[in-house]
Amino acid sequence: MSKYNFTKIEHPSPKTAEERAALMANPGFGKVFSDHMVTIKWSTDKGWHDAQIRAREPFQIDPASSVLHYAQEIFEGMKAYRMADGSLALFRPEENARRFNESAERMAMPEIPEDMFIEAVEALVHTDESWVPGGDGSFYLRPFMFASESFLGVRPANEYIFCVIGSTVGAYFKGGYKTVSVWISQEYTRAAPGGTGAAKCGGNYASSLVATAEAFKNGCDQVVFLDAVERKWVDELGGMNIFFVMDDKTIITPPLGTILPGITRASIMKLARESGYTVSETPYSFDQWKEDAASGKLREAFACGTAAVIAGIGTVKYPEGTFAIGNSGDGEVTSELRSKLVGIQRGTVADTHGWMRTI
Ligand SMILES: *Cc1c(COP(=O)(O)O)cnc(C)c1O
């Protein structure tokens, strides 16, 4: 089964069962980390080498490491679930591996064999199995890669580190499901044609945080970006894709190009079509959004991504005003699609597409 033979280095002092239980009791998101990590090095001379599973600990990198200066960094986000029957499974990990390499190509970084990527993720889940919670929780996996070469010249680096860390996470909607409010960013855009919008790179987030801060300041949970050219078409949220549910069994989502090609997005499109909806990947303007919300043609809107899976959008705010979508509550179609997808991920709905990969 194992092809790459990760060298296992014994953890000198893993958390005790009691310490782990205390951390896992109320984990939140992205704060509680498991004991181990996987690291693999890459250099121009040696290619991928030194695959290790070892204690999670700080990196020692040179202050001149190119990532610290020119932000050559990409990442993935995926989850391992404890299924209804007690087994452990990943959701469509080969899609994350494929997208990781697409990001790598865009950022002039080396590609990693897809089976090596998946083996690294599985090795961490195996080793830290006791950190995978049951119930509504999951084990969030963060594979990432950065340029570690110590060099201040401007060119693609010759040395990289690939790493996977894992984090126990609780239910995304603590205290029960609720819709989110979004802020339409007018001043800042996320990605321009020819830019890095479709790559999952840290740099996209760095430049989006000022808009996220603006959304928070205006009392909103998330930010929505419009296109960079006309400032007219809806792109996506800071870290989630977006869908609009119309009154005629049509569902609209912005086309690929400058947005991140979400795996949740692709899965929802498939499930919605199977349920008899017409899904249209077509540009949708903010003006149209306002108009359709007012006329009632727009029934529901929701955001989607690995962390939240599907989050209904209840209210929309922009500098000149605010409006509600539907009754601002959980929409029927949003809830139907969420139940299906979450059911597949938890093993309570038949996985007819072979999306779950048992570890
Ligand atoms: C990761 C990400 C998404 C969601 O992708 P999933 O594969 O569904 O998790 C959407 N937008 C951005 C900007 C992202 O980084």
Side-chain angles (χ1 to χ4, degrees), residues 197-220:
K200 214 167 169 68
C201 62
N204 287 344
Y205 279 77
S207 65
S208 77
L209 295 178
V210 64
T212 300
E214 192 180 74
F216 292 167
K217 218 170 62 202
N218 284 280
C220 294

Side-chain angles (χ1 to χ4, degrees), residues 28 36 53 57 118 158 164 180 217-218 234 243 266 268 294 313:
H36 293 84
I53 174 121
E57 62 183 356
I118 292 174
N158 286 318
V164 189
V180 298
K217 218 170 62 202
N218 284 280
V234 177
F243 282 82
I268 287 168
I313 296 172

